[in-house]
Amino acid sequence: MTNEAKPKKGARAKKTVASGGRATQGTAKEAAEMRRKIFINAYLANGHNATQAAIEAGFSKSTAHVKGSQLMAEPEVKRALEVRMAELVKRYELTTDMVVRSLVQALRFDPRNLCDQDGKPIPVTKLDDDTAAALMSMETVQKGGDEAPVIIHKFRWESKAAAREQAMKHLGMFEKDNKQRTDPFADFLASMRSSLPVVRE
């Protein structure tokens, strides 16, 4: 017969974590910290979507929006995001001026600057900075035999339509345009509704 040690009076029993049991306070704190880290990484990776980042951190879809907002409001999360974003900007040397300049380069791109006066392609190393920045790719293809070869030069540059749309968003032109724009059909329906008699039950 073995004697079992009895806990001393007044002594607090230590919490343990059994298989399938509830986590202790320390473990819960570590889990919360891990969720914050996952949330921050997901938020930066998905284009700053707090709800989706909360889902990635393990929260249910029904509570992700609320949990995401709560995490974004935490001072610790705010500081971590500021530090991480500053590191990314420094690492890639990305500034607002650079983004705007790239849009301007795409909008002002002139394909005539790719060739000299005789129509021959200018070597990439001799292109001006704006033209080189807007140019996405260039390719030289030879067709026909060696006796009568046909040289084809293919150029691909940034879409002016896409650059124009991005520039308009940057300048807030869509918002201004939407405020001034009216829908004739919607206005017609509104006028019809106002002319109808009110039916009271």
Side-chain angles (χ1 to χ4, degrees):
M1 182 175 181
T2 57
N3 294 327
E4 294 183 359
K6 296 182 179 180
K8 296 181 180 180
K9 292 183 179 181
R12 296 183 179 179
K14 294 183 178 180
K15 293 182 179 180
T16 58
V17 181
S19 178
R22 293 184 178 180
T24 63
Q25 184 177 359
T27 305
K29 185 177 180 180
E30 292 174 0
E33 183 62 27
M34 181 59 66
R35 279 189 169 184
R36 287 192 186 92
K37 290 181 180 179
I38 296 174
F39 174 82
I40 292 170
N41 290 333
Y43 180 80
L44 292 172
N46 68 17
H48 301 179
N49 187 322
T51 300
Q52 188 60 39
I55 295 174
E56 294 291 334
F59 294 102
S60 64
K61 291 183 178 181
S62 59
T63 62
H65 180 71
V66 175
K67 292 296 184 181
S69 299
Q70 291 175 348
L71 285 168
M72 289 298 296
E74 290 186 7
E76 183 179 350
V77 173
K78 286 183 177 180
R79 287 193 297 270
L81 284 173
E82 289 175 357
V83 171
R84 290 289 302 279
M85 292 177 72
E87 290 175 351
L88 290 173
V89 170
K90 184 177 180 180
R91 182 184 303 174
Y92 298 106
E93 297 182 353
L94 185 63
T95 64
T96 303
D97 291 342
M98 291 178 62
V99 175
V100 174
R101 182 180 177 183
S102 67
L103 292 176
V104 174
Q105 288 170 334
L107 288 171
R108 291 183 175 179
F109 174 78
D110 188 344
R112 292 175 297 181
N113 294 331
L114 294 170
C115 302
D116 58 21
Q117 294 180 351
D118 297 327
K120 296 180 180 180
I122 299 174
V124 177
T125 54
K126 294 184 178 181
L127 292 174
D128 62 272
D129 292 341
D130 290 341
T131 302
L135 186 64
M136 297 180 65
S137 66
M138 62 183 300
E139 180 184 2
T140 301
V141 180
Q142 178 178 334
K143 290 189 176 182
D146 294 336
E147 296 180 358
V150 177
I151 306 299
I152 300 175
H153 300 285
K154 298 181 180 180
F155 300 95
R156 185 165 172 254
W157 52 83
E158 292 284 354
S159 169
K160 286 195 174 186
R164 188 181 301 110
E165 182 178 351
Q166 293 173 6
M168 290 176 70
K169 288 180 179 179
H170 176 74
L171 297 173
M173 295 177 68
F174 282 133
E175 183 179 354
K176 296 176 183 178
D177 185 55
N178 289 336
K179 289 180 180 179
Q180 297 174 357
R181 185 182 302 167
T182 59
D183 187 343
F185 184 68
D187 293 341
F188 172 74
L189 290 179
S191 63
M192 290 294 292
R193 292 193 197 99
S194 62
S195 63
L196 291 174
V198 178
V199 178
R200 301 182 183 276
E201 295 182 356

